[in-house]
Amino acid sequence: MKFTIKKAQPKPIKKTTLNRFLRKRMIYYVLPNVFFNFIIAYASFNELGYTHFFAGTQCLAKLTLPMAIFLPVVLTIDILKRVTDAAEQEAIEFRVDEQLNLKRMMTRLSIMHGVVTGLSVLCMLLLAQFNLSKYYKLDGAAMAVVVGILAGGLSVVFTYLPVMRLKKYLYRPVQIVPADAE
């Protein structure tokens, strides 16, 4: 007896434009990321009352660096997959070039986005650490707000940035009208 696993069909998507589709997805990404990253940071920082950049058990780097690395990776993969699924279902006005190796593109872009964002956030934290006093204490509530805003900003950027790279492989289908149909 041979078992076969059927590939799950993506949920049908209503016909829309690419810009509307991206705006809707951006809202779906931004709101939960801001809310959950703020709540997690606030709960973590509230234990001590204040925090440091790198010192202590509840430091700012412990929350922001994993978020800065993994959030772009997940968002890049998800938005590319959703846009290509919408194009295959003809829910948006574009089609994806058949020669595109989508898995390779998703892997490369997501790793690049995660590494670049993680390194840039690390550099910002190190720069702030060196510019401020060794004994400078950060307010936990203010840092939770900063983490939430950073998550929202990353959600917006990594909704549109991967699609800008994918646009090289998107085209509008040409409708052929017969000459005698006039």
Side-chain angles (χ1 to χ4, degrees):
M1 185 150 88
K2 193 175 197 180
F3 292 104
T4 58
I5 299 174
K6 294 181 181 178
K7 186 177 179 183
Q9 295 296 323
K11 184 179 174 184
I13 303 169
K14 290 195 304 188
K15 193 131 178 98
T16 185
T17 64
L18 181 62
N19 287 333
R20 284 185 185 172
F21 181 79
L22 290 176
R23 259 187 270 137
K24 186 177 178 182
R25 294 307 317 166
M26 182 191 61
I27 291 170
Y28 289 157
Y29 294 147
V30 169
L31 295 178
N33 279 323
V34 169
F35 178 73
F36 287 120
N37 282 301
F38 170 75
I39 294 297
I40 290 169
Y42 188 74
S44 296
F45 293 150
N46 226 7
E47 184 178 313
L48 295 175
Y50 63 87
T51 184
H52 295 285
F53 287 111
F54 293 100
T57 57
Q58 301 297 330
C59 62
L60 185 61
K62 198 179 265 189
L63 291 174
T64 56
L65 287 177
M67 178 195 63
I69 293 170
F70 294 117
L71 190 64
V73 169
V74 171
L75 290 179
T76 299
I77 291 172
D78 189 54
I79 196 66
L80 287 176
K81 183 67 178 151
R82 289 187 187 270
V83 169
T84 55
D85 285 347
E88 286 175 4
Q89 292 181 18
E90 298 180 1
I92 58 175
E93 69 270 19
F94 293 103
R95 303 292 171 266
V96 180
D97 188 8
E98 291 83 25
Q99 295 178 356
L100 173 66
N101 187 347
L102 183 64
K103 290 183 181 183
R104 182 176 178 207
M105 180 184 187
M106 283 193 307
T107 304
R108 281 185 168 186
L109 272 180
S110 64
I111 290 171
M112 183 183 69
H113 288 164
V115 168
V116 168
T117 307
L119 286 175
S120 62
V121 168
L122 178 65
C123 289
M124 297 270 218
L125 288 172
L126 287 172
L127 185 68
Q129 174 74 27
F130 290 130
N131 285 335
L132 296 174
S133 169
K134 178 181 171 182
Y135 303 105
Y136 190 78
K137 298 176 185 174
L138 303 169
D139 181 39
M143 290 301 106
V145 170
V146 168
V147 169
I149 291 171
L150 178 64
L154 290 177
S155 298
V156 170
V157 168
F158 290 107
T159 299
Y160 288 103
L161 190 63
V163 176
M164 288 173 49
R165 294 290 292 263
L166 182 66
K167 278 192 176 181
K168 287 194 288 189
Y169 302 101
L170 294 178
Y171 65 92
R172 290 182 195 266
V174 177
Q175 295 180 354
I176 301 173
V177 179
D180 59 340
E182 296 172 7

